[in-house]
Amino acid sequence: AQSVTQLGSHVSVSEGALVLLRCNYSSSVPPYLFWYVQYPNQGLQLLLKYTTGATLVKGINGFEAEFKKSETSFHLTKPSAHMSDAAEYFCAVSVGGTASKLTFGTGTRLQVTL
Amino acid sequence: GAVVSQHPSWVICKSGTSVKIECRSLDFQATTMFWYRQFPKQSLMLMATSNEGSKATYEQGVEKDKFLINHASLTLSTLTVTSAHPEDSSFYICSAAGRGSSYNEQFFGPGTRLTVL
């Protein structure tokens, strides 16, 4: 079975600072990896996904993530945080394809301060 | 883009009553729909997967007689919480995936907050 670990349930950064949200996965087969963002009382919005090919994936709102097989990691980064980035971020994995069931990490709440 | 709606967005009911939540794909045919449950400040837990025209597949520990899922058409799935109790209070989120490369991923609905008194 696959699993996801997100280190740090709460991350606080200053506006303009680098954002780094950590995600490690476990899977016995090549995984499909995702990052989602959730604003209060809303559903999930896909930020980016890794399927195959290029290991550096660029997503919406300036976010990107790099798939590192040797480290079983898929950390999410953004060079410069904006106040509007404050939200809950979830890393997820699936093994059956991009439309297969997802296993989510526990989430990381990003706080952006002035 | 692919849009998934849920109705109602929030519902309050008395203990012992049943509540139905609808999940619709508005601009694509959803061959597969997923139902998730999210407790406050926690992650999403998959409850069940439903494919159009067939019975839902429930995750371990989810009572299929309590959480009835119907996926009768390619645009609609429903989750009925039967004989709801306060411990069923939660945020329920559906997602849908369809045919073709443009829809070969999960698109999430906005969620339904259920409060059982």
Side-chain angles (χ1 to χ4, degrees):
Chain A
Q2 62 275 12
S3 66
V4 171
T5 301
Q6 290 184 242
L7 294 177
S9 59
H10 186 217
V11 170
S12 182
V13 300
S14 299
E15 189 174 35
L18 171 72
V19 175
L20 171 61
L21 305 182
R22 300 179 185 274
C23 172
N24 288 88
Y25 70 91
S26 174
S27 175
S28 58
V29 298
Y32 296 80
L33 295 162
F34 307 79
W35 274 100
Y36 289 90
V37 60
Q38 184 181 35
Y39 296 98
N41 295 311
Q42 295 187 27
L44 275 67
Q45 180 182 11
L46 179 66
L47 284 176
L48 48 79
K49 63 182 176 183
Y50 169 79
T51 55
T52 59
T55 56
L56 182 62
V57 181
K58 295 186 183 297
I60 62 172
N61 301 339
F63 285 95
E64 62 181 39
E66 185 171 10
F67 171 63
K68 292 187 176 180
K69 184 178 178 181
S70 61
E71 299 178 8
T72 61
S73 69
F74 190 57
H75 301 331
L76 182 70
T77 60
K78 181 175 181 178
S80 177
H82 191 273
M83 295 296 289
S84 61
D85 294 327
E88 188 84 20
Y89 291 80
F90 292 97
C91 183
V93 63
S94 75
V95 295
T98 52
S100 297
K101 67 178 184 180
L102 296 165
T103 300
F104 286 88
T106 51
T108 298
R109 179 165 298 277
L110 175 65
Q111 181 182 17
V112 182
T113 59
L114 290 173
Chain B
V3 179
V4 176
S5 70
Q6 281 184 243
H7 178 79
S9 56
W10 59 270
V11 56
I12 301 173
C13 69
K14 293 181 178 180
S15 184
T17 61
S18 294
V19 175
K20 179 182 286 188
I21 302 171
E22 294 185 348
C23 176
R24 293 181 184 273
S25 57
L26 299 184
D27 51 1
F28 69 102
Q29 294 183 328
T31 51
T32 306
M33 287 186 168
F34 303 85
W35 286 95
Y36 296 85
R37 184 173 181 177
Q38 185 179 30
F39 290 104
K41 301 186 187 302
Q42 294 188 29
S43 188
L44 283 76
M45 299 298 294
L46 179 65
M47 299 174 66
T49 303
S50 74
N51 293 297
E52 186 266 339
S54 60
K55 291 184 177 181
T57 301
Y58 290 80
E59 295 298 301
Q60 190 172 8
V62 177
E63 299 176 60
K64 61 180 180 181
D65 293 330
K66 180 168 186 61
F67 298 100
L68 302 178
I69 292 173
N70 184 281
H71 190 170
S73 77
L74 284 172
T75 59
L76 173 66
S77 176
T78 60
L79 167 66
T80 300
V81 183
T82 62
S83 186
H85 288 92
E87 57 266 30
D88 298 324
S89 298
S90 190
F91 196 50
Y92 293 88
I93 303 176
C94 73
S95 69
R99 297 191 183 100
S101 59
S102 298
Y103 303 106
N104 190 28
E105 65 177 74
Q106 291 188 41
F107 298 93
F108 285 82
T112 296
R113 184 162 300 284
L114 170 63
T115 301
V116 185
L117 302 177

